[in-house]
Amino acid sequence: MHSNRKLITQFLVAGLLVAQLAPISAIATDGGSTSEKPSTSGHDSINGHTVKPAETPKVESTSFCNKFGSINSSVKTNEEERVGKLNSRRGQETTKLATTRSKRESDLATARAKADANRNEHYAKLEAKATTDAQKAAVQAFEATIDAAVVQRRAAVDAADKTYRDAVDALLASHKTQVDAAITSFKASVASAGTAAQASCTAGTDSKTVRDAYKAAITTAQASFKAAMQSIDNVGPQIKALNATRKAAVQAAINAFKATAATAAATLKTALGETTTP
């Protein structure tokens, strides 16, 4: 998920800009020619991603208003398709994250069950070696200490995992909200430009004037969208920092357990008169 923000940004910028540039590129040039060609003046580049306007049919500048219904419909269709693909990708990422977490939980449960079995087996061997009441009491005390330390260690690990996951979920939710807001604003600006163009056409405004105003409005919307997307924090570094904090908490819990186990083992060693490890 670390690179999710970059992927979403590139996908949206590339997709939505192409969606807008496709029909507009056919009406982008000025002058009195009877037909327009797709722009070849250069390509947009965002976060290192090159955006190439799609090839579109030529549109006569004088018939912009006549063609506008089709142009506007194409813009809306492309928007819906791109957002649909984004939502699909988001769904896949969410499923992947849930699967990864589920597997970790399953693996952890399996590892803990195995550790419990090994520990109980070791306890049985210690109990068999204890012959006096004092030794038996020492073994029982050792087992109780280790069991309590295991519970404490696992609780600390579970808490660290939960804190990490909750924080990651909050980051991803915030990121999604910001991206959705940028998309909503962009779509609203494009829709407003379309409404204004349609009204101008209906009012009988010169077709070229309407075309130029529409193109300028779309260009402004694109610039605002780029700026909004670039202002959204990259969650990757933040997730890495959260993971580092989680690992540190887990390691601290392990170190505490080892210290407790070492002290308990030393006490039991004295009682049994031999070296013992948990």
Side-chain angles (χ1 to χ4, degrees):
M1 299 296 291
H2 296 178
S3 62
N4 193 43
R5 185 259 189 190
K6 183 177 180 181
L7 289 174
I8 291 176
T9 301
Q10 292 182 345
F11 178 78
L12 286 173
V13 171
L16 291 178
L17 288 184
V18 169
Q20 304 307 323
L21 289 173
I24 298 169
S25 63
I27 58 170
T29 58
D30 296 323
S33 60
T34 57
S35 62
E36 305 293 332
K37 297 181 180 180
S39 174
T40 58
S41 60
H43 302 137
D44 291 298
S45 180
I46 307 168
N47 291 336
H49 187 92
T50 300
V51 181
K52 298 180 179 180
E55 293 293 334
T56 55
K58 298 178 180 179
V59 180
E60 294 182 0
S61 60
T62 56
S63 63
F64 173 79
C65 284
N66 293 333
K67 299 286 187 178
F68 182 71
S70 175
I71 293 173
N72 203 35
S73 176
S74 176
V75 167
K76 291 180 179 179
T77 298
N78 283 327
E79 281 181 352
E80 292 172 357
E81 290 177 351
R82 290 291 175 173
V83 173
K85 289 179 180 179
L86 169 62
N87 290 332
S88 176
R89 178 172 295 180
R90 280 174 167 172
Q92 293 172 3
E93 290 290 343
T94 299
T95 298
K96 181 180 178 180
L97 178 60
T99 299
T100 299
R101 288 179 174 179
S102 179
K103 184 178 186 304
R104 171 176 165 74
E105 291 175 355
S106 178
D107 290 345
L108 182 60
T110 298
R112 286 178 172 179
K114 183 178 180 180
D116 289 343
N118 291 338
R119 190 171 62 258
N120 289 332
E121 183 180 345
H122 186 63
Y123 287 168
K125 291 179 180 179
L126 291 175
E127 292 166 2
K129 291 180 180 180
T131 56
T132 67
D133 289 342
Q135 289 177 334
K136 291 179 181 179
V139 169
Q140 291 177 350
F142 173 79
E143 292 175 356
T145 299
I146 294 301
D147 286 344
V150 168
V151 170
Q152 186 174 8
R153 183 193 66 198
R154 290 179 177 176
V157 170
D158 290 345
D161 281 345
K162 184 178 187 306
T163 298
Y164 169 76
R165 291 183 179 184
D166 289 348
V168 168
D169 288 344
L171 278 176
L172 295 179
S174 176
H175 180 269
K176 180 179 182 298
T177 297
Q178 294 178 76
V179 170
D180 287 346
I183 294 174
T184 298
S185 178
F186 178 68
K187 292 174 67 177
S189 295
V190 172
S192 178
T195 298
Q198 186 62 66
S200 295
C201 287
T202 300
T205 304
D206 176 68
S207 188
K208 181 180 181 300
T209 299
V210 177
R211 179 200 66 185
D212 291 345
Y214 181 70
K215 176 179 176 291
I218 293 300
T219 298
T220 299
Q222 291 166 356
S224 297
F225 180 71
K226 291 181 191 178
M229 291 299 296
Q230 291 170 348
S231 70
I232 298 175
D233 290 337
N234 186 345
V235 299
Q238 298 178 68
I239 290 177
K240 287 182 179 179
L242 290 171
N243 191 40
T245 300
R246 180 190 69 82
K247 288 183 177 180
V250 170
Q251 189 59 53
I254 293 174
N255 292 342
F257 171 80
K258 288 181 177 179
T260 298
T263 300
T267 300
L268 182 60
K269 174 184 175 182
T270 300
L272 297 179
E274 60 180 75
T275 302
T276 309
T277 57

